[in-house]
Amino acid sequence: MLGTRSCLAAALAAALVAIATPAHAAPATLVSAGPGVLVADGAAVDVPVTFVCDTDPALVMAIPVVQITQRVSDGRIAGGGGNDQLSCTKQTQTVTIRVVPTMMAFNEGAAAASVYLQTCSAQFQCSAVIIHTQITLANPAGAGQGLSR
């Protein structure tokens, strides 16, 4: 008898959880991130993030977040993050996220990047996609090329 009651209680609890759980929006597609362009000798880095919010027509808002870590010297790590918030257009969108380091400047070269894309409907039903990747950080085109005399 005790086993039957336990099974019924478990089934009832599972049914209540299923009823109370709100529906989630379908995630957007995170297409690419990087390469990064150093700003002010590594005081920040601009990272382009490309995504599409067309997987669910109810999506109205996108919040891309970029976290970067880079080994800079003697085993020390530079790291920081940045984000933005924009409306979904249902087409491919590219936004440049400025990542500001917390302690040390970024250098040219390879860096680890985690890119999070949260998308939400007007009813605040949200979902997220995450990619972990390696990107290249470089000086802007033309940097270091002074005028010849």
Coordinates of all heavy atoms in Angstrom, one line a residue, residues 53-111:
C53 N 17.8 36.0 -34.7 CA 16.7 35.7 -33.8 C 15.5 35.2 -34.6 O 14.4 35.4 -34.2 CB 16.2 36.9 -33.1 SG 17.3 37.8 -32.1
D54 N 15.7 34.5 -35.7 CA 14.5 34.1 -36.5 C 14.0 32.7 -36.1 O 13.0 32.2 -36.8 CB 14.8 34.2 -38.0 CG 15.8 33.2 -38.4 OD1 16.4 32.4 -37.6 OD2 16.0 33.1 -39.6
T55 N 14.5 32.0 -35.1 CA 14.0 30.7 -34.8 C 12.7 30.7 -34.1 O 12.0 29.7 -34.1 CB 15.0 30.0 -33.9 OG1 15.3 30.8 -32.7 CG2 16.3 29.7 -34.6
D56 N 12.3 31.9 -33.5 CA 11.0 32.0 -32.8 C 10.5 33.4 -33.1 O 11.1 34.4 -32.7 CB 11.2 31.8 -31.3 CG 9.9 31.8 -30.5 OD1 8.9 32.3 -31.1 OD2 9.9 31.4 -29.4
P57 N 9.4 33.5 -33.8 CA 8.8 34.8 -34.2 C 8.5 35.7 -33.0 O 8.3 36.9 -33.1 CB 7.6 34.6 -35.1 CG 7.3 33.2 -34.8 CD 8.5 32.5 -34.3
A58 N 8.3 35.1 -31.8 CA 8.0 35.8 -30.6 C 9.1 36.6 -30.0 O 9.0 37.4 -29.1 CB 7.3 34.9 -29.6
L59 N 10.4 36.3 -30.4 CA 11.5 36.9 -29.8 C 11.6 38.4 -30.1 O 11.5 38.8 -31.3 CB 12.8 36.2 -30.3 CG 13.0 34.8 -29.8 CD1 14.3 34.2 -30.4 CD2 13.0 34.6 -28.3
V60 N 11.8 39.2 -29.1 CA 11.8 40.7 -29.3 C 13.1 41.3 -28.8 O 13.4 42.4 -29.2 CB 10.6 41.4 -28.7 CG1 9.3 40.9 -29.3 CG2 10.6 41.2 -27.2
M61 N 13.9 40.6 -28.0 CA 15.0 41.3 -27.4 C 16.2 40.3 -27.4 O 16.0 39.1 -27.1 CB 14.7 41.7 -25.9 CG 15.9 42.3 -25.2 SD 15.5 42.9 -23.5 CE 14.6 41.5 -22.8
A62 N 17.4 40.8 -27.7 CA 18.6 40.0 -27.6 C 19.6 40.6 -26.7 O 19.8 41.9 -26.8 CB 19.2 39.8 -29.0
I63 N 20.3 39.8 -25.9 CA 21.3 40.4 -25.0 C 22.6 39.5 -25.2 O 22.7 38.4 -24.6 CB 20.9 40.3 -23.5 CG1 19.6 41.0 -23.3 CG2 22.0 40.9 -22.6 CD1 18.9 40.8 -22.0
P64 N 23.5 40.0 -26.1 CA 24.8 39.3 -26.2 C 25.8 39.7 -25.2 O 25.9 40.9 -24.8 CB 25.2 39.7 -27.6 CG 24.6 41.0 -27.9 CD 23.3 41.0 -27.1
V65 N 26.5 38.7 -24.6 CA 27.5 38.9 -23.6 C 28.8 38.3 -24.0 O 28.7 37.1 -24.4 CB 27.0 38.4 -22.2 CG1 28.1 38.6 -21.2 CG2 25.7 38.9 -21.8
V66 N 29.9 39.0 -23.9 CA 31.2 38.4 -24.3 C 32.1 38.5 -23.1 O 32.3 39.5 -22.5 CB 31.8 39.1 -25.5 CG1 33.2 38.6 -25.8 CG2 30.9 39.1 -26.7
Q67 N 32.8 37.3 -22.8 CA 33.8 37.2 -21.7 C 35.1 36.8 -22.4 O 35.0 35.8 -23.2 CB 33.4 36.2 -20.7 CG 32.2 36.6 -19.8 CD 32.5 37.7 -18.8 OE1 31.8 38.7 -18.8 NE2 33.5 37.5 -18.0
I68 N 36.2 37.5 -22.1 CA 37.5 37.1 -22.7 C 38.5 36.9 -21.6 O 38.5 37.7 -20.7 CB 38.0 38.2 -23.7 CG1 37.0 38.3 -24.9 CG2 39.4 37.9 -24.2 CD1 37.4 39.4 -25.8
T69 N 39.4 35.9 -21.8 CA 40.5 35.7 -20.9 C 41.7 35.5 -21.9 O 41.6 34.9 -22.9 CB 40.4 34.6 -19.9 OG1 40.1 33.4 -20.7 CG2 39.3 34.8 -18.9
Q70 N 42.9 36.0 -21.4 CA 44.1 35.9 -22.3 C 45.3 35.9 -21.3 O 45.4 36.7 -20.4 CB 44.2 37.1 -23.2 CG 45.4 37.0 -24.1 CD 45.6 38.3 -24.9 OE1 45.5 39.4 -24.4 NE2 45.8 38.1 -26.2
R71 N 46.2 34.9 -21.6 CA 47.5 34.9 -20.9 C 48.3 36.0 -21.5 O 48.6 36.0 -22.7 CB 48.1 33.5 -21.1 CG 49.4 33.4 -20.3 CD 49.9 32.0 -20.3 NE 51.1 32.0 -19.4 CZ 52.2 31.5 -19.8 NH1 52.4 30.9 -20.9 NH2 53.2 31.5 -18.9
V72 N 48.8 36.9 -20.7 CA 49.5 38.1 -21.2 C 51.0 38.1 -20.9 O 51.8 38.4 -21.8 CB 48.9 39.4 -20.7 CG1 47.5 39.6 -21.4 CG2 48.7 39.5 -19.2
S73 N 51.4 37.7 -19.8 CA 52.8 37.6 -19.5 C 53.1 36.9 -18.1 O 52.3 37.1 -17.2 CB 53.5 39.0 -19.5 OG 53.0 39.7 -18.4
D74 N 54.1 36.1 -18.1 CA 54.5 35.5 -16.8 C 53.4 34.7 -16.2 O 53.2 34.7 -14.9 CB 55.1 36.5 -15.8 CG 56.3 37.2 -16.3 OD1 57.1 36.5 -17.1 OD2 56.5 38.3 -16.0
G75 N 52.5 34.1 -17.0 CA 51.4 33.4 -16.5 C 50.2 34.2 -16.0 O 49.2 33.7 -15.5
R76 N 50.3 35.5 -16.1 CA 49.2 36.4 -15.7 C 48.1 36.4 -16.7 O 48.4 36.2 -17.9 CB 49.7 37.8 -15.4 CG 50.7 37.9 -14.2 CD 51.2 39.2 -14.0 NE 52.0 39.7 -15.1 CZ 52.6 40.9 -15.2 NH1 52.4 41.7 -14.3 NH2 53.3 41.2 -16.3
I77 N 46.9 36.6 -16.2 CA 45.7 36.5 -17.1 C 45.0 37.9 -17.1 O 44.7 38.4 -16.1 CB 44.7 35.4 -16.6 CG1 45.4 34.1 -16.5 CG2 43.5 35.4 -17.4 CD1 45.7 33.5 -17.8
A78 N 44.7 38.3 -18.3 CA 43.9 39.5 -18.5 C 42.5 39.0 -18.8 O 42.3 38.0 -19.5 CB 44.4 40.4 -19.7
G79 N 41.5 39.6 -18.2 CA 40.1 39.1 -18.5 C 39.1 40.3 -18.3 O 39.4 41.2 -17.6
G80 N 38.0 40.1 -18.9 CA 37.0 41.1 -18.8 C 35.7 40.7 -19.6 O 35.7 39.7 -20.3
G81 N 34.7 41.6 -19.5 CA 33.5 41.3 -20.2 C 32.8 42.5 -20.7 O 33.1 43.6 -20.3
G82 N 31.8 42.3 -21.5 CA 31.0 43.4 -22.0 C 29.7 42.8 -22.6 O 29.6 41.6 -22.8
N83 N 28.7 43.7 -22.7 CA 27.4 43.2 -23.2 C 26.6 44.3 -23.9 O 27.1 45.5 -23.9 CB 26.5 42.6 -22.1 CG 26.2 43.6 -21.0 OD1 26.0 44.8 -21.3 ND2 26.2 43.2 -19.8
D84 N 25.5 44.0 -24.5 CA 24.7 45.0 -25.2 C 23.2 44.4 -25.1 O 23.0 43.3 -24.7 CB 25.1 45.2 -26.6 CG 24.6 46.5 -27.2 OD1 23.8 47.2 -26.5 OD2 25.0 46.9 -28.3
Q85 N 22.3 45.3 -25.4 CA 20.9 44.9 -25.5 C 20.3 45.5 -26.7 O 20.4 46.7 -26.9 CB 20.1 45.3 -24.2 CG 18.7 44.9 -24.3 CD 17.9 45.3 -23.0 OE1 18.5 45.3 -21.9 NE2 16.7 45.7 -23.1
L86 N 19.6 44.7 -27.5 CA 19.0 45.3 -28.8 C 17.8 44.5 -29.1 O 17.5 43.4 -28.6 CB 20.0 45.3 -29.9 CG 20.8 44.0 -30.2 CD1 21.2 44.0 -31.7 CD2 22.0 43.9 -29.4
S87 N 17.0 45.0 -30.1 CA 15.8 44.4 -30.5 C 16.1 43.4 -31.6 O 17.1 43.5 -32.4 CB 14.9 45.5 -31.2 OG 14.5 46.4 -30.2
C88 N 15.4 42.3 -31.6 CA 15.5 41.3 -32.7 C 14.9 41.8 -34.0 O 13.8 42.3 -33.9 CB 14.8 40.0 -32.2 SG 15.7 39.1 -30.9
T89 N 15.6 41.6 -35.1 CA 15.0 42.0 -36.4 C 14.6 40.9 -37.2 O 14.1 41.1 -38.3 CB 16.1 42.8 -37.1 OG1 17.2 41.9 -37.4 CG2 16.6 44.0 -36.4
K90 N 14.8 39.6 -36.8 CA 14.4 38.4 -37.5 C 15.4 38.2 -38.7 O 15.1 37.4 -39.6 CB 13.0 38.4 -38.0 CG 12.0 38.7 -36.9 CD 12.0 37.7 -35.8 CE 11.0 38.1 -34.7 NZ 11.5 38.3 -33.4
Q91 N 16.5 39.0 -38.8 CA 17.5 38.8 -39.8 C 18.8 38.7 -39.2 O 18.9 39.0 -38.0 CB 17.4 40.0 -40.8 CG 16.1 40.1 -41.5 CD 16.1 41.2 -42.6 OE1 17.1 41.7 -43.0 NE2 14.9 41.5 -43.1
T92 N 19.8 38.4 -39.9 CA 21.2 38.3 -39.4 C 21.6 39.7 -38.8 O 21.4 40.7 -39.5 CB 22.2 37.9 -40.4 OG1 21.8 36.6 -40.9 CG2 23.6 37.8 -39.9
Q93 N 22.1 39.7 -37.6 CA 22.5 41.0 -37.0 C 23.9 40.8 -36.5 O 24.3 39.8 -36.0 CB 21.6 41.3 -35.8 CG 20.1 41.6 -36.1 CD 19.3 41.7 -34.9 OE1 18.5 40.8 -34.5 NE2 19.4 42.9 -34.2
T94 N 24.7 41.9 -36.6 CA 26.0 41.9 -36.1 C 26.1 43.1 -35.2 O 25.8 44.3 -35.6 CB 27.1 42.0 -37.2 OG1 27.0 40.8 -38.0 CG2 28.5 42.1 -36.6
V95 N 26.6 42.9 -34.0 CA 26.8 44.0 -33.0 C 28.2 43.9 -32.5 O 28.8 42.8 -32.3 CB 25.8 43.9 -31.8 CG1 25.9 42.6 -31.0 CG2 25.9 45.1 -30.9
T96 N 28.8 45.0 -32.2 CA 30.2 45.1 -31.7 C 30.1 45.3 -30.2 O 29.6 46.3 -29.7 CB 31.0 46.2 -32.3 OG1 31.1 45.9 -33.8 CG2 32.5 46.2 -31.8
I97 N 30.6 44.3 -29.4 CA 30.6 44.4 -28.0 C 32.0 44.8 -27.5 O 33.0 44.3 -27.9 CB 30.3 43.0 -27.4 CG1 29.0 42.4 -27.9 CG2 30.4 43.0 -25.9 CD1 27.8 43.1 -27.6
R98 N 32.0 45.9 -26.7 CA 33.3 46.4 -26.1 C 33.6 45.6 -24.8 O 32.8 45.7 -23.9 CB 33.3 47.9 -25.9 CG 34.5 48.3 -25.2 CD 35.0 49.6 -25.6 NE 35.4 49.8 -27.0 CZ 35.6 51.0 -27.5 NH1 35.6 52.1 -26.8 NH2 35.9 51.1 -28.8
V99 N 34.7 44.9 -24.8 CA 35.1 44.1 -23.6 C 36.2 44.9 -22.9 O 37.2 45.3 -23.5 CB 35.6 42.7 -24.0 CG1 36.1 42.0 -22.8 CG2 34.5 42.0 -24.7
V100 N 36.0 45.3 -21.7 CA 36.9 46.0 -20.9 C 37.6 45.1 -19.9 O 36.9 44.4 -19.1 CB 36.2 47.2 -20.2 CG1 37.2 48.0 -19.3 CG2 35.6 48.1 -21.2
P101 N 38.9 45.0 -19.8 CA 39.6 44.2 -18.9 C 39.4 44.7 -17.4 O 39.3 45.9 -17.2 CB 41.1 44.2 -19.3 CG 41.2 45.4 -20.1 CD 39.9 45.7 -20.7
T102 N 39.5 43.8 -16.5 CA 39.3 44.2 -15.1 C 40.6 44.6 -14.4 O 40.6 45.5 -13.6 CB 38.7 43.1 -14.3 OG1 39.4 41.9 -14.4 CG2 37.2 42.8 -14.7
M103 N 41.7 44.0 -14.8 CA 43.0 44.3 -14.1 C 44.1 44.7 -15.1 O 44.8 45.6 -14.9 CB 43.5 43.2 -13.3 CG 42.5 42.9 -12.1 SD 42.5 44.2 -10.9 CE 44.0 43.9 -10.0
M104 N 44.3 43.8 -16.1 CA 45.5 44.0 -17.0 C 45.0 44.2 -18.4 O 44.0 43.7 -18.8 CB 46.4 42.7 -16.9 CG 46.9 42.4 -15.6 SD 47.9 41.0 -15.6 CE 49.3 41.6 -16.6
A105 N 45.8 44.9 -19.2 CA 45.5 45.1 -20.6 C 45.6 43.9 -21.4 O 46.4 43.0 -21.1 CB 46.4 46.2 -21.2
F106 N 44.8 43.8 -22.5 CA 44.9 42.7 -23.5 C 46.0 42.9 -24.4 O 46.4 44.1 -24.6 CB 43.6 42.6 -24.3 CG 42.4 42.1 -23.5 CD1 41.3 43.0 -23.3 CD2 42.3 40.8 -23.0 CE1 40.2 42.6 -22.6 CE2 41.2 40.4 -22.3 CZ 40.1 41.3 -22.1
N107 N 46.6 41.9 -25.0 CA 47.7 42.0 -26.0 C 47.2 41.4 -27.3 O 46.2 40.7 -27.4 CB 48.9 41.2 -25.5 CG 49.6 41.8 -24.3 OD1 49.5 43.0 -24.1 ND2 50.2 40.9 -23.5
E108 N 48.0 41.6 -28.3 CA 47.7 40.9 -29.6 C 47.9 39.4 -29.4 O 48.8 39.0 -28.6 CB 48.7 41.4 -30.7 CG 48.4 42.7 -31.3 CD 49.3 43.0 -32.4 OE1 50.5 43.4 -32.2 OE2 48.8 42.9 -33.6
G109 N 47.1 38.6 -30.1 CA 47.3 37.2 -30.0 C 46.0 36.5 -29.7 O 44.9 37.0 -29.7
A110 N 46.2 35.2 -29.3 CA 45.0 34.3 -29.1 C 44.4 34.6 -27.7 O 45.1 35.0 -26.8 CB 45.4 32.9 -29.2
A111 N 43.1 34.5 -27.6 CA 42.4 34.7 -26.4 C 41.2 33.7 -26.3 O 40.7 33.3 -27.4 CB 41.8 36.1 -26.2

